[in-house]
């Protein structure tokens, strides 16, 4: 299963193995559950510090997903595009990294 993005007439696809996709989806499902848990904590007026600790855990989990995606992107898509002579991928990668690092 490949993800396809249509951009300005060209089709780009991700190159994730089924194992990596399963890992990412499982992580995102856990994060989704954590977010629902935080929502429930807020609705139940749980102590703010406890909620903030859960928010921190969610941010760390999302960062881990981002790192895995970035690593895969650099090892496949970025290398492939550079080999094809498409050096614009470097600027795209830098912009994406700046968004992730914020």
């Amino acid at each position: 299963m490949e993800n396809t993005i249509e951009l300005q007439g060209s089709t780009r696809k991700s190159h994730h193995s089924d194992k990596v996709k399963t890992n990412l989806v499982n992580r995102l499902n856990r994060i989704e559950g954590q977010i629902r848990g935080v929502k429930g904590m807020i609705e139940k007026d749980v102590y703010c510090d406890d909620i903030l600790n859960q928010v921190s855990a969610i941010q760390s989990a999302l960062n881990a997903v981002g790192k895995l995606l970035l690593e895969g992107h650099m090892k496949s898509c970025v290398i492939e595009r550079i080999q094809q002579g498409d050096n614009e991928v470097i600027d795209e990668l830098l912009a994406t990294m700046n968004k992730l690092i914020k």
Side-chain angles (χ1 to χ4, degrees):
M1 180 190 316
E2 291 184 338
N3 294 326
T4 303
I5 299 174
E6 287 286 338
L7 291 174
Q8 300 171 352
S10 67
T11 302
R12 299 190 304 182
K13 297 180 181 179
S14 64
H15 303 283
H16 305 295
S17 69
D18 288 339
K19 181 179 177 182
V20 169
K21 284 183 207 177
T22 299
N23 181 6
L24 290 169
V25 168
N26 287 340
R27 287 171 180 260
L28 291 169
N29 285 337
R30 282 193 298 274
I31 292 167
E32 186 177 19
Q34 289 176 297
I35 290 170
R36 282 193 303 271
V38 166
K39 181 180 175 189
M41 292 171 79
I42 291 170
E43 291 170 345
K44 294 174 186 171
D45 295 321
V46 171
Y47 186 61
C48 296
D49 192 59
D50 295 335
I51 297 171
L52 290 168
N53 285 323
Q54 288 302 309
V55 168
S56 176
I58 293 167
Q59 287 173 328
S60 293
L62 277 173
N63 286 340
V65 168
K67 287 176 188 177
L68 284 173
L69 285 167
L70 181 61
E71 179 181 339
H73 181 55
M74 292 175 74
K75 288 182 175 180
S76 61
C77 303
V78 172
I79 289 173
E80 185 178 290
R81 287 179 60 190
I82 289 171
Q83 289 172 342
Q84 294 170 353
D86 181 1
N87 292 326
E88 288 180 19
V89 70
I90 299 298
D91 291 330
E92 176 187 280
L93 178 61
L94 290 171
T96 298
M97 290 177 68
N98 281 330
K99 290 176 189 173
L100 285 172
I101 294 172
K102 277 188 191 181

